[in-house]
């Protein structure tokens, strides 16, 4: 060493230390000594400095050389230690050397100290060099292993037999084996699938034994296998490393699954691009067309071979060239552009509208090398847009002309937009609506706000369309009625995002509807009056006819004569009343039939459920046995509806509507107390409510026509009058019980029908003064009236054949074609009078005809009867009127 040796000397005797130092110096060793005379100083020196050599006395007070040797090895293990002692046994010397001392010397033989020091220093240098080499080798191996484990490729080292001796981390990740599982196994069995081993594994074995292809120095693509049995494509390259012992082979395997997928993806993308309906092509920075897909061929009409290599201006109209260049420059700078609309020229010279998108295409360094263009034909779309715009203009004009307002509500922002027409409907100047839902509600009539809010809330909850009608008060105080309708627009998640709708001013229409409803009500009264009058006319005709016959047959002194005259006079009065009722009627008569009120009520359940609010409970109780009455079903249903609606209106806060059908027997006391009611079996129809009830004053006028307690426009006062008329017409009766705050009950009694109608026996015939010998066919569907007419005419000497309908009349005519006169009702089941007349006149044009009916002239005109020259006999008629009309017609 060129520098002095740094020596730590452990010695408690200064003189002995000087002798040792002098001896080493005299032997030519340059040393720097640090003297320590005890354990503390010795360990302090070891912790503070690094020494080349340690010399320690073997025998020290409280601290021997063995202890010093162990401590130095612990703190500076690479420093040689020489022990010296005044006396020593062979056993102690061996012990010191076993514990790692470099040498053991006697203080009496210091001539051996310098050689021992040199030898110790040389051995220490040798050990240090070897250790550094080992460290360097270990570091190299670690670096190698780290490099192998850090690379992405799989690196597998094999011996000449193909047995794996190294397996890096990438190989572990790729193939799923740990190093311990892979090392020591044949590579072919480890990663080659069984189906390919006869190719790859055998070829690998041949190469390892012969060093020949196919693997040497070439990149070979093979199918490999993972530990789980799945397969993957890899590239394999094998390199041979020849050593003096045996060749080592290193295999580099690269998983090319991603590359394969990328290749497949590129192929698919190429196929997609080529199959796209859009034109997709690229243009170089020198404006030369580079690529051209099938969509471009279809759009522009050029084949790829016709445009690739040519300038892009081939496709650009001169008028559009200036607008394209800034877009190209932007893409050339690497900036992607938004789609823009322009025009292009097709091969045939025609112009097309396109949407064009330009995007930069770069190389691996990010440098722009070309521009990609995607063009879509929007010619038809633009035509459709233009057509839609025109349609919108027409729609806007139509809505404005029809005065239909439009609204659009954005639920996310709360903005409500109104058209000018809608603003006008609310009495606002254009552009003055505040644009919020609250502002809209403020404009609604206070009494209607709740209903509108409820309709909108229900629609928003259910997602369904909605309609509502409400009033608005204009700034000038004018009240208008508006009809509104709305539709909710949902997003892709089903959330309501918008509401759109329309509004129309319904004030005039509402007024017209109210007028129409009033007219319809009057029409209904007219129908009722006509039906009642028609039935009464038939009955009155029978009554008056028999009265007339009986009066004529009775002696003037007969005590019954005054009563018959009173009956006849009452009949004439009734006939006058029917004529008044007929003024309301312009339609056909009612049709009383045998009805079961149980069946009628059961069939009306759906109708009542629509008419009655949900807060009113409807309880219907039916009779276990049939509840038969003879009545017109339409009249009965209208009767029930009128009473049910009145009951509903009497319960504004809800309640119970009870309808009960039962059978009762009315006694004589009840009959005496109710005019026109006979004692006997009846069907009872009771309709009760738990509503507001009525005062005695209102109850007293309940059935008066046109009397009502409702607001103007809410009722005509004819509903209960109609009920009373129907009940009275059908021989029934009504009882009304009512108490304020507790409700009202209507109990209707209709005669119970047994299903068999009794025949009316005509009075015995008597001779008439005016007689005739002609033959007459009488056609009348009312049995009693037909019998009466037949009797009256036979008493006048005529030959009479009667028929209940047109079919029977035709059969009689076929049997008696020489009949002289046809006397027929106008309206009959199975064919009316005019149709029957036309049929018979076709066979015998000279046949005389008389029509009879309970209708007024207007009604008969509607049926085509009262043409010039047609004879008409109005019901009810007397025997004299009948005889006179028949004689007059026959004598024409």
């Amino acid at each position: 060493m060129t520098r002095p040796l740094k020596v730590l000397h452990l010695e408690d005797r200064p003189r002995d230390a000087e002798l040792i130092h002098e001896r080493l110096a005299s032997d030519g060793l340059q040393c720097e000594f640090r003297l320590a005379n005890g354990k503390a100083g010795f360990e302090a020196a070891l912790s503070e400095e690094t020494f080349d050599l340690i010399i320690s006395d073997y025998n020290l007070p409280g601290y021997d050389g063995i202890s010093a040797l162990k401590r130095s090895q612990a703190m500076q293990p690479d420093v040689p230690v020489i022990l010296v002692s005044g006396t020593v046994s062979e056993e102690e010397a061996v012990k010191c050397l076993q514990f790692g001392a470099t040498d053991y010397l006697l203080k009496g033989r210091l001539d051996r100290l310098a050689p021992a020091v040199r030898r110790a220093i040389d051995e220490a240098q040798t050990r240090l060099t070897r250790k550094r080499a080992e460290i360097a080798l270990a570091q190299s191996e670690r670096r190698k292993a780290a490099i192998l484990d850090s690379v992405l490729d799989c690196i597998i080292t094999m011996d000449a037999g193909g047995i794996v001796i190294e397996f890096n981390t990438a190989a572990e990740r790729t193939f799923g084996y740990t190093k311990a599982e892979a090392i020591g196994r044949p590579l072919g069995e480890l990663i080659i699938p069984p189906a390919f081993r006869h190719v790859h594994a055998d070829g690998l074995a041949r190469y390892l034994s012969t060093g020949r292809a196919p693997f040497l120095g070439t990149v070979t693509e093979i199918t490999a296998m993972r530990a789980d049995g799945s397969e993957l494509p890899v590239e394999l390259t094998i390199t041979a490393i020849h050593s003096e012992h045996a060749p080592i082979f290193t295999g580099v395997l690269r998983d090319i699954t991603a590359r394969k997928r990328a290749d497949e993806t590129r192929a698919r993308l190429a196929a997609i691009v080529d199959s796209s309906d859009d034109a997709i092509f690229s243009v170089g920075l020198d404006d030369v067309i580079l690529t051209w897909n099938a969509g471009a061929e279809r759009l522009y009409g050029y084949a790829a071979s016709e445009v690739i290599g040519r300038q892009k201006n081939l496709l650009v109209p001169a008028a559009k060239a200036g607008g394209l260049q800034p877009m190209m420059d932007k893409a050339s700078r690497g900036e992607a552009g938004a789609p823009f609309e322009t025009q292009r020229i097709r091969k045939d010279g025609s112009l097309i509208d396109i949407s064009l998108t330009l995007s930069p295409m770069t190389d691996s360094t990010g440098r722009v090398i070309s521009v990609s263009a995607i063009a879509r034909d929007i010619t038809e779309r633009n035509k459709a847009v233009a057509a839609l715009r025109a349609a919108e203009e027409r729609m806007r004009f139509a809505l404005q002309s029809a005065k239909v307002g439009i609204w659009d509500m954005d639920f996310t922002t709360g903005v409500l937009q109104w058209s000018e027409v809608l603003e006008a409907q609310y009495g606002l100047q254009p552009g003055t609506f505040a644009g919020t839902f609250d502002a809209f509600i403020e404009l609604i009539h206070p009494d209607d706000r709740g209903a509108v809010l409820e309709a909108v809330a229900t629609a928003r909850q259910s997602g369904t369309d909605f309609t509502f009608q409400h009033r608005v008060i204009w700034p000038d105080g004018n009240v208008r009625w508006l009809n509104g309708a709305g539709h909710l627009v949902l997003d892709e998640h089903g959330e309501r995002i918008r509401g759109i709708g329309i509004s129309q001013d319904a004030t005039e229409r509402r007024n017209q509807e109210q007028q129409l409803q009033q007219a319809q009500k009057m029409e209904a009264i007219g129908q009722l009056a006509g039906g009642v009058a028609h039935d009464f006319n038939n009955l009155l005709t029978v009554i008056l006819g028999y009265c007339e016959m009986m009066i004529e047959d009775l002696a003037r002194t007969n005590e019954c004569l005054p009563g018959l005259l009173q009956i006849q006079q009452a009949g004439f009065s009734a006939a006058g009343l029917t004529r008044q009722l007929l003024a309301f009627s312009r339609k056909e008569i009612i049709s009383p039939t045998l009805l079961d009120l149980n069946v009628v009520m059961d069939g009306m359940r759906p109708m009542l459920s629509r008419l009655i609010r949900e807060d009113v409970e409807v309880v219907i109780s039916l009779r276990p046995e049939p509840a038969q009455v003879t009545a017109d079903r339409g009249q009965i249903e209208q009767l029930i509806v009128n009473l049910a609606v009145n009951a509903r209106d009497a319960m504004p806060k809800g309640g119970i509507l009870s309808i009960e059908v039962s059978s009762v027997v009315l006694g004589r006391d009840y009959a005496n107390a109710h005019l026109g009611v006979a004692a006997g079996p009846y069907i009872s129809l009771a309709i009760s409510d738990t509503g507001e009830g009525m005062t005695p004053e209102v109850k007293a006028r309940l059935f008066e026509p046109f009397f009502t307690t409702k607001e103007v426009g809410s009722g005509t006062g004819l509903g209960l009058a109609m009920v009373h008329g129907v009940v009275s017409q059908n021989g029934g009766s009504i009882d009304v019980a009512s108490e304020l705050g507790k409700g009202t009950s209507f109990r209707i009694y209709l005669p119970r029908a047994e299903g068999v109608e009794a025949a009316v026996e005509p009075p015995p015939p008597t001779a008439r003064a005016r007689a005739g010998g002609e033959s007459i066919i009488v056609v009348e569907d009312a049995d009693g009236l037909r019998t009466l007419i037949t009797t009256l005419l036979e008493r006048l000497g005529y030959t009479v054949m009667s028929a209940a309908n047109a079919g029977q009349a035709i059969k009689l005519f076929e049997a008696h074609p020489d009949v002289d006169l046809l006397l027929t009702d106008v309206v009959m089941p199975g064919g009316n009078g005019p149709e029957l007349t036309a049929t018979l006149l076709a066979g015998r044009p000279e046949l005389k005809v008389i029509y009879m009916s309970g209708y007024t002239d207007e009604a008969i005109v509607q049926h085509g009867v009262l043409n010039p020259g047609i004879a008409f006999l109005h019901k009810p008629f007397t025997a004299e009127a009948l005889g006179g009309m028949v004689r007059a017609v026959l004598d024409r």
Side-chain angles (χ1 to χ4, degrees):
M1 298 180 62
T2 58
R3 63 176 177 81
L5 292 174
K6 292 185 65 175
V7 181
L8 174 60
H9 190 189
L10 180 58
E11 178 61 65
D12 61 335
R13 296 177 178 178
R15 180 57 188 163
D16 289 350
E18 290 178 2
L19 291 175
I20 290 175
H21 297 174
E22 291 172 358
R23 183 67 185 182
L24 290 177
S26 64
D27 287 342
L29 290 174
Q30 296 182 4
C31 300
E32 293 180 0
F33 291 98
R34 178 168 178 173
L35 186 62
N37 61 4
K39 176 182 178 182
F42 180 69
E43 291 187 357
L46 287 175
S47 63
E48 294 172 0
E49 297 182 66
T50 300
F51 298 94
D52 297 318
L53 178 66
I54 297 174
I55 299 175
S56 174
D57 191 0
Y58 182 79
N59 295 306
L60 296 168
Y63 193 67
D64 60 10
I66 297 298
S67 299
L69 175 62
K70 291 180 180 180
R71 194 59 182 160
S72 66
Q73 288 176 340
M75 298 181 69
Q76 296 190 21
D78 295 329
V79 178
V81 178
I82 298 177
L83 296 178
V84 295
S85 178
T87 60
V88 67
S89 65
E90 183 177 349
E91 181 180 351
E92 291 175 338
V94 172
K95 184 178 179 181
C96 290
L97 294 175
Q98 287 177 344
F99 276 102
T102 303
D103 211 338
Y104 190 96
L105 302 175
L106 292 173
K107 292 182 178 179
R109 294 291 307 273
L110 291 181
D111 57 321
R112 295 183 55 244
L113 180 59
V117 170
R118 289 189 176 93
R119 185 171 61 254
I121 294 299
D122 290 341
E123 290 177 0
Q125 287 290 342
T126 301
R127 285 196 304 273
L128 181 60
T129 301
R130 186 167 56 249
K131 186 175 182 179
R132 288 175 177 171
E134 291 173 354
I135 293 173
L137 179 60
Q139 290 176 342
S140 175
E141 291 296 327
R142 285 196 296 272
R143 284 196 299 271
K144 175 184 174 184
I147 292 171
L148 291 177
D149 287 341
S150 65
V151 297
L152 298 177
D153 291 336
C154 304
I155 299 178
I156 304 174
T157 302
M158 304 158 286
D159 61 16
I163 304 301
V164 176
I165 58 178
E166 286 185 1
F167 202 77
N168 76 333
T169 302
E172 288 183 310
R173 289 194 303 269
T174 301
F175 294 103
Y177 296 101
T178 64
K179 295 183 190 299
E181 292 172 332
I183 293 174
R185 295 179 60 183
L187 180 63
E189 296 179 4
L190 197 66
I191 68 168
I192 305 298
F196 295 94
R197 286 177 186 168
H198 69 285
V199 178
H200 297 323
D202 294 347
L204 178 62
R206 285 197 304 273
Y207 166 70
L208 296 178
S209 61
T210 63
R212 293 197 296 270
F215 299 102
L216 179 59
T218 61
V219 178
T220 305
E221 185 176 318
I222 67 170
T223 300
M225 178 180 66
R226 296 185 179 91
D228 60 7
S230 59
E231 297 180 354
L232 70 159
V234 299
E235 287 181 347
L236 171 61
T237 303
I238 295 180
T239 304
I241 303 174
H242 297 280
S243 68
E244 59 183 9
H245 302 291
I248 300 298
F249 299 92
T250 299
V252 179
L253 298 94
R254 178 171 297 168
D255 184 356
I256 58 174
T257 303
R259 193 189 73 189
K260 285 280 190 181
R261 290 175 181 168
D263 291 343
E264 292 173 359
T265 300
R266 282 192 292 271
R268 285 196 299 269
L269 288 176
I272 291 172
V273 167
D274 209 40
S275 63
S276 173
D277 289 335
D278 293 337
I280 303 175
F281 56 97
S282 61
V283 179
L285 299 182
D286 56 357
D287 292 342
V288 172
I289 298 173
L290 303 176
T291 61
W292 192 258
N293 77 331
E297 292 185 355
R298 290 189 293 270
L299 178 61
Y300 291 102
Y302 289 100
S305 59
E306 296 178 292
V307 295
I308 292 179
R310 299 180 64 179
Q311 292 287 317
K312 71 176 189 311
N313 289 338
L314 172 71
L315 312 172
V316 183
K320 301 294 181 180
L324 175 63
Q325 195 56 46
M327 302 296 182
M328 287 292 295
D329 294 342
K330 183 178 180 180
S332 299
R333 293 192 300 269
E335 301 176 24
F340 63 97
E341 296 183 9
T342 185
Q343 284 186 320
R344 289 296 177 263
I345 303 175
R346 301 184 79 252
K347 182 178 179 180
D348 60 8
S350 60
L351 289 177
I352 53 174
D353 296 332
I354 67 167
S355 173
L356 184 62
T357 303
L358 301 179
S359 303
M361 299 182 68
T362 59
D363 59 14
S364 59
T365 66
R367 182 173 59 89
V368 178
I369 57 175
S370 61
V371 175
S372 171
I374 300 177
R376 175 170 296 176
D377 188 353
I378 58 172
T379 304
E380 295 302 322
R381 189 204 72 181
N382 284 352
K383 291 180 181 178
V385 169
L388 178 61
R389 187 176 296 112
E392 289 176 347
E393 291 295 330
R394 290 193 296 269
M395 179 63 70
R396 185 178 297 107
F397 175 76
L399 292 175
Q400 290 177 347
S401 300
K403 298 181 179 180
V404 176
I406 303 174
W407 57 267
D408 190 327
M409 178 74 181
D410 188 334
F411 293 139
T412 59
T413 64
V415 175
L416 176 59
Q417 296 181 348
W418 279 8
S419 66
E420 292 184 0
V421 173
L422 188 55
E423 288 181 308
Q425 291 176 357
Y426 284 79
L428 303 177
Q429 294 298 320
T432 60
F433 175 59
T436 65
F437 184 77
D438 291 340
F440 156 61
I441 295 298
E442 287 296 323
L443 295 172
I444 298 175
H445 193 286
D447 294 342
D448 297 342
R449 289 174 185 170
V452 172
L453 287 171
E454 182 179 358
V456 174
T458 301
R460 292 197 65 176
Q461 183 177 5
S462 63
T464 58
D465 295 348
F466 58 96
T467 60
F468 51 84
Q469 187 178 77
H470 62 87
R471 289 165 292 175
V472 298
I473 303 177
W474 282 12
D476 60 4
N478 186 18
V479 177
R480 307 291 294 180
W481 281 91
L482 301 182
N483 284 338
H487 170 74
L488 298 181
V489 180
L490 310 181
D491 62 12
E492 63 273 12
H493 304 295
E495 297 294 332
R496 290 171 285 280
I497 57 174
R498 286 178 61 216
I500 56 177
I502 61 172
S503 174
Q504 286 184 291
D505 191 323
T507 306
E508 300 302 327
R509 186 172 66 185
R510 183 178 176 85
N511 293 338
Q512 293 173 358
E513 288 175 351
Q514 290 177 340
Q515 294 174 8
L516 176 61
Q517 290 172 359
Q518 186 69 15
Q520 289 174 338
K521 291 178 182 179
M522 298 305 296
E523 179 69 16
I525 295 173
Q527 289 180 345
L528 173 63
V532 173
H534 184 271
D535 282 351
F536 272 112
N537 280 339
N538 287 340
L539 295 174
L540 288 172
T541 302
V542 175
I543 293 171
L544 292 175
Y546 282 113
C547 282
E548 190 174 2
M549 285 192 297
M550 293 177 69
I551 291 171
E552 186 175 344
D553 291 344
L554 290 175
R556 296 295 178 184
T557 59
N558 194 302
E559 61 182 4
C560 296
L561 185 60
L564 287 175
L565 291 174
Q566 289 295 324
I567 293 174
Q568 187 182 45
Q569 184 59 42
F572 289 143
S573 298
L577 291 176
T578 59
R579 291 190 185 93
Q580 294 177 8
L581 291 174
L582 285 171
F584 294 96
S585 177
R586 297 187 303 274
K587 299 185 183 292
E588 60 188 23
I589 62 173
I590 62 173
S591 301
T593 58
L594 187 65
L595 300 177
D596 186 346
L597 286 188
N598 290 325
V599 176
V600 173
M601 282 306 312
D602 196 50
M604 291 185 67
R605 289 179 189 269
M607 179 190 300
L608 292 177
S609 67
R610 293 191 297 269
L611 290 174
I612 306 304
R613 301 188 310 273
E614 294 181 355
D615 59 351
V616 175
E617 180 183 359
V618 180
V619 179
I620 298 177
S621 301
L622 303 180
R623 185 172 182 263
E625 296 80 22
Q628 293 181 334
V629 297
T630 301
D632 184 282
R633 180 167 186 143
Q635 284 187 335
I636 296 299
E637 291 180 343
Q638 187 62 48
L639 175 151
I640 294 170
V641 168
N642 284 350
L643 292 177
V645 170
N646 281 350
R648 178 201 65 189
D649 295 341
M651 297 182 287
K653 298 180 180 179
I656 300 175
L657 169 62
S658 302
I659 302 177
E660 179 184 11
V661 177
S662 61
S663 178
V664 298
V665 176
L666 299 180
R668 188 171 302 277
D669 292 340
Y670 183 91
N672 292 336
H674 295 79
L675 186 63
V677 177
Y682 283 78
I683 298 298
S684 170
L685 175 64
I687 300 178
S688 307
D689 64 66
T690 58
E692 299 170 337
M694 65 182 78
T695 63
E697 292 78 8
V698 172
K699 180 181 175 183
R701 301 185 59 190
L702 196 61
F703 299 112
E704 291 182 10
F706 307 106
F707 173 75
T708 179
T709 59
K710 297 180 180 179
E711 297 178 357
V712 176
S714 298
T716 63
L718 292 173
L720 292 177
M722 174 266 175
V723 170
H724 187 274
V726 170
V727 174
S728 299
Q729 176 189 358
N730 287 279
S733 176
I734 305 178
D735 274 349
V736 181
S738 182
E739 186 175 349
L740 281 175
K742 293 187 177 180
T744 301
S745 177
F746 288 81
R747 187 170 291 276
I748 298 170
Y749 301 102
L750 296 176
R752 188 170 67 198
E754 300 300 332
V756 177
E757 295 184 6
V760 178
E761 294 294 337
T766 56
R768 295 286 295 173
R770 298 185 63 190
E774 292 90 350
S775 59
I776 302 173
I777 293 178
V778 176
V779 187
E780 170 60 56
D781 59 294
D783 294 340
L785 182 56
R786 186 173 65 251
T787 301
L788 172 65
I789 294 172
T790 300
T791 301
L792 291 174
L793 291 176
E794 286 177 343
R795 286 167 65 98
L796 291 174
Y798 297 106
T799 300
V800 183
M801 296 165 282
S802 65
N805 52 54
Q808 294 179 5
I810 292 173
K811 291 181 179 179
L812 287 175
F813 182 79
E814 291 174 348
H816 305 278
D818 56 347
V819 68
D820 297 302
L821 176 67
L822 172 67
L823 176 60
T824 179
D825 196 4
V826 176
V827 179
M828 301 176 295
N832 60 37
E835 293 173 348
L836 173 62
T837 299
T839 301
L840 299 187
L841 288 178
R844 189 175 178 201
E846 65 273 17
L847 177 68
K848 306 295 178 63
V849 180
I850 297 176
Y851 292 102
M852 54 183 175
S853 177
Y855 287 99
T856 61
D857 288 354
E858 287 82 6
I860 298 300
V861 169
Q862 290 180 2
H863 287 87
V865 174
L866 287 186
N867 292 323
I870 289 181
F872 172 68
L873 188 62
H874 194 287
K875 298 177 184 178
F877 48 79
T878 63
E880 183 178 0
L882 173 64
M885 175 67 73
V886 169
R887 190 69 262 160
V889 171
L890 288 174
D891 291 343
R892 284 182 183 175

